[in-house]
Amino acid sequence: MADESTTSEEVCTFCGIPGCDRACSMQTFLIHGRYRTEKWDYNHHVVPPISSSTTYRLESFERGAYGFEHFGSEEETVHPIYIYDRLDEPVRGMLEENLAHAEKGEYAVSFATGMAAISAILGVLLKAGDELVTHRTLYGCTYSLLTRWLPRFGISVRFCDMCDPGSLGETISRRTRAVYFETPVNPTMDLVDIGGVREVVDRATGERPGEDPLEIVVDNTFATPFCQRPLTLGADVVVHSLTKNIGGFGTDMGGAVITPKRHLEALLLFRKDFGGVLSPKSAWPILVYGLPTLALRLKQQQDSANLIARFLARHPKVAHVSYPGLGDGRMQTIAKRQMSDYHGNFAPGMMLYFTLSGDPGESARRCKQIVNFLAGQAYAVTLAVSLGQVRTLIENPVAMTHSAISSEDRARCGLDGSGLRLSVGLEDPKDIIEDLNRALARI
Ligand SMILES: *Cc1c(COP(=O)(O)O)cnc(C)c1O
């Protein structure tokens, strides 16, 4: 496991400046990216250009043939020959280099959406007859992908409580090829111990030498690489919805898989053939506005989330608040172990989940009242799905983002009818608290 606390003192090998001996911090890298790259001539633009060309002049028969023959290879990824947008494209390429670096991974492959990225890595890792083991609670569309579509391709999915390492160990079978989870979990903010999962998986793999390795895939959308780098904690692959806090402004959709070299070629071929590419016009704002401001936005959002979580936890009409910066012993221990910013400071993030007091019928009724009050009367808090942007967003997962989970399965997933998911934005936290306080006073 990498010692993250020393990272900011390490001399940069990423920027590409000849003879560079600076020790720049990630905050700086995310603004400047790679100074020397064959994907773009930094001598002329300060801001990367938006390229908008579906096809590329090939110069010669040999260059065209070489580009096709070597598509997907590591060599071709580092020194690209551009042929056609669906194969590779420079704006996306620059974003991918910076994303891989931000997650401390080897390569990133971008996709049109987070769901396209998740479909791609599962499509690459699993085939008919294989089994996927996952946590009982997942983002609604991921749950739908796993229960509605993967079984049609002969891939079975087994759910367990990954907060309990014993339950994971019992669920992994000889057919299991991948373990998939989110941490923090959307929407309940459960934390899965990434290092603990690595230990259970290593033990299971140790019992079947010679077989294909079991891959651990973590959806790091809620934490963002600013708050958590799963690859340094034992995960093999990370997926992201770039639509959320990496994009940060709520203007563009995108997704990414951060991968070791062993899956790079398959992911690029999958993207080429299934076609879920990220448009350069969407990659550009993520490259130019999203990533460069990630650290600054997260620090502010996290400070506000801390204040808001404490306000909610004290409120008599709130039954429970789930926020990694707050909470019971187990959650605190895991949060402190795996959620830290690039300087090693504790980084519990900007997402929180809370439930309302009262019996199930009463609390669900109160939830509806609060949501409707906020929709009509709040200014700093907006009723909307999605998360991780400059505006504070609130929603009720059971009725909205997680409605794909049947009412019978909700209890097993730990979903409460009165649950509210709050994504803290960049407004003055006083104004966010004021809106929540007024809404809570109405019920
Ligand atoms: C939103 C989200 C996704 C899906 O991302 P899209 O960009 O909307 O396709 C996947 N996982 C998590 C945790 C999410 O919040």
Side-chain angles (χ1 to χ4, degrees), residues 96-123:
E96 287 166 348
E97 282 184 338
N98 292 1
L99 279 173
H101 190 61
E103 274 291 354
K104 307 211 171 244
E106 288 180 68
Y107 294 94
V109 181
S110 64
F111 290 88
T113 64
M115 289 316 301
I118 295 167
S119 307
I121 189 60
L122 296 180

Side-chain angles (χ1 to χ4, degrees), residues 118-366:
I118 295 167
S119 307
I121 189 60
L122 296 180
V124 161
L125 296 180
L126 302 165
K127 60 183 185 322
D130 290 346
E131 191 173 79
L132 174 71
V133 167
T134 189
H135 183 56
R136 59 189 184 135
T137 317
L138 291 164
Y139 169 58
C141 295
T142 307
Y143 180 87
S144 177
L145 172 72
L146 268 46
T147 54
R148 190 189 298 262
W149 299 105
L150 290 193
R152 284 174 48 137
F153 304 118
I155 298 160
S156 51
V157 178
R158 298 181 75 185
F159 291 90
C160 67
D161 179 2
M162 293 190 48
C163 298
D164 168 10
S167 158
L168 172 63
E170 286 161 23
T171 312
I172 291 175
S173 79
R174 300 197 76 86
R175 288 171 54 209
T176 309
R177 282 286 163 269
V179 172
Y180 182 95
F181 58 96
E182 302 157 358
T183 183
V185 172
N186 182 355
T188 55
M189 302 300 295
D190 283 343
L191 298 181
V192 177
D193 176 359
I194 301 169
V197 169
R198 177 87 258 167
E199 280 173 27
V200 173
V201 164
D202 283 349
R203 220 173 301 134
T205 321
E207 288 159 11
R208 46 184 209 192
E211 293 183 21
D212 282 350
L214 221 152
E215 304 270 349
I216 301 173
V217 183
V218 175
D219 181 335
N220 200 31
T221 299
F222 264 36
T224 84
F226 179 79
C227 297
Q228 176 175 273
R229 272 84 48 214
L231 300 176
T232 68
L233 298 159
D236 296 296
V237 176
V238 160
V239 294
H240 271 292
S241 167
L242 303 177
T243 315
K244 313 296 170 53
N245 231 336
I246 292 181
F249 291 85
T251 58
D252 292 271
M253 301 206 73
V257 179
I258 324 299
T259 180
K261 188 178 157 201
R262 64 180 179 276
H263 305 307
L264 176 67
E265 184 168 5
L267 281 164
L268 290 168
L269 291 171
F270 189 102
R271 183 176 71 180
K272 169 176 82 69
D273 297 339
F274 283 81
V277 293
L278 178 64
S279 158
K281 296 182 187 97
S282 291
W284 188 82
I286 302 171
L287 174 70
V288 172
Y289 301 126
L291 265 187
T293 56
L294 180 73
L296 198 58
R297 286 184 288 111
L298 254 294
K299 271 184 221 163
Q300 176 61 45
Q301 290 169 335
Q302 179 172 277
D303 285 351
S304 299
N306 255 305
L307 293 173
I308 295 163
R310 279 166 177 75
F311 157 76
L312 289 170
R314 280 194 308 268
H315 202 287
K317 290 174 186 165
V318 171
H320 181 70
V321 182
S322 191
Y323 177 64
L326 197 74
D328 60 36
R330 181 194 158 271
M331 185 139 158
Q332 275 291 294
T333 311
I334 298 175
K336 291 251 161 75
R337 193 183 316 143
Q338 66 190 23
M339 300 190 78
S340 64
D341 68 20
Y342 292 114
H343 295 291
N345 304 310
F346 181 45
M350 50 79 221
M351 292 300 300
L352 49 92
Y353 178 76
F354 62 102
T355 57
L356 302 173
S357 56
D359 63 52
E362 189 186 14
S363 62
R365 188 176 47 74
R366 289 175 151 186

